Amino acid sequence: ALWVFCVSLPIIFINSPKNAYKYEDFQTTDIVGAILYSIGIITEIFADMQKFNFRDNPANTGYYVDYGLWKWSRHPNYFGEMLVWWGIFLISVTVLQELQWAAVISPLFTSSILLFLTGMPLLERQSDDRYGKSDEYRQYKKNTSPLIPIPPKFYKYIPKKIRLYFLFELPLYDNLNKNN
């Protein structure tokens, strides 16, 4: 219940009768938020459909998803999820007052869970354990952004420090070198 409450704070404040929203109150942050939300939901839908279709095909048993959005990101569904909640937060910015700014907990909490706890670290460890001996998988992991969809031909040339500080290529996700 606490989790749901924290994540839904921006929506609670947007829909609060105290925060009567009028058309003339429409701000640039609403537009940016709506764009982020739309990109996020579309990304999440397509990533989930591609993963479902891949896993639904018996010929793909024992392989990792590496086509569609998954060719550009190892976790495009999580990227989409984060964009959704950052977009909703930006939409809520117009109505937030005083303590309601606590609504920023929503995207921060969601992003933190996916980046550092049960999301990416767990899945990266499982994938590394399952496919880590495969040279193809090692190349996929080396040349594919962990989160933000970037073409692999471009990503592989991005300096390691930029990958680390701006693209979430965290040591936390490198279980291949720990296992060997």
Side-chain angles (χ1 to χ4, degrees):
L2 182 61
W3 182 321
V4 172
F5 175 74
C6 288
V7 171
S8 62
L9 275 175
I11 296 167
I12 292 169
F13 293 135
I14 289 169
N15 292 318
S16 168
K18 182 181 173 188
N19 295 330
Y21 192 81
K22 300 176 197 86
Y23 179 74
E24 57 268 11
D25 294 336
F26 201 68
Q27 304 270 324
T28 304
T29 55
D30 295 317
I31 296 168
V32 173
I35 290 169
L36 285 179
Y37 174 85
S38 299
I39 292 170
I41 201 78
I42 289 168
T43 300
E44 197 171 0
I45 289 168
F46 274 93
D48 287 342
M49 283 179 13
Q50 289 168 348
K51 189 173 189 176
F52 175 79
N53 289 337
F54 182 87
R55 293 212 168 138
D56 197 39
N57 182 346
N60 294 328
T61 304
Y63 294 98
Y64 54 93
V65 185
D66 66 346
Y67 80 98
L69 289 170
W70 298 86
K71 187 172 188 161
W72 288 24
S73 169
R74 298 191 311 256
H75 304 282
N77 52 343
Y78 290 166
F79 175 72
E81 181 75 13
M82 287 182 219
L83 283 184
V84 163
W85 290 105
W86 281 104
I88 290 172
F89 170 72
L90 281 178
I91 293 168
S92 77
V93 164
T94 307
V95 299
L96 298 179
Q97 302 169 15
E98 300 169 6
L99 292 176
Q100 291 177 343
W101 281 93
V104 75
I105 291 171
S106 172
L108 287 174
F109 181 74
T110 302
S111 297
S112 296
I113 291 290
L114 295 175
L115 287 169
F116 305 114
L117 294 173
T118 62
M120 291 171 56
L122 179 65
L123 291 177
E124 288 286 318
R125 191 175 322 108
Q126 288 174 346
S127 293
D128 289 353
D129 289 347
R130 183 181 248 176
Y131 310 114
K133 293 186 183 355
S134 163
D135 289 333
E136 292 166 347
Y137 173 75
R138 288 176 169 275
Q139 283 302 313
Y140 169 75
K141 187 162 181 171
K142 180 180 174 187
N143 297 325
T144 307
S145 170
L147 183 66
I148 302 167
I150 299 172
K153 290 181 181 180
F154 177 69
Y155 186 76
K156 67 182 176 182
Y157 295 111
I158 297 174
K160 287 186 180 193
K161 292 219 185 242
I162 292 175
R163 287 182 182 198
L164 173 66
Y165 295 116
F166 300 105
L167 301 175
F168 302 100
E169 187 72 63
L170 305 175
L172 176 67
Y173 309 143
D174 185 13
N175 300 292
L176 292 175
N177 294 323
K178 292 176 192 172
N179 294 338
N180 294 331

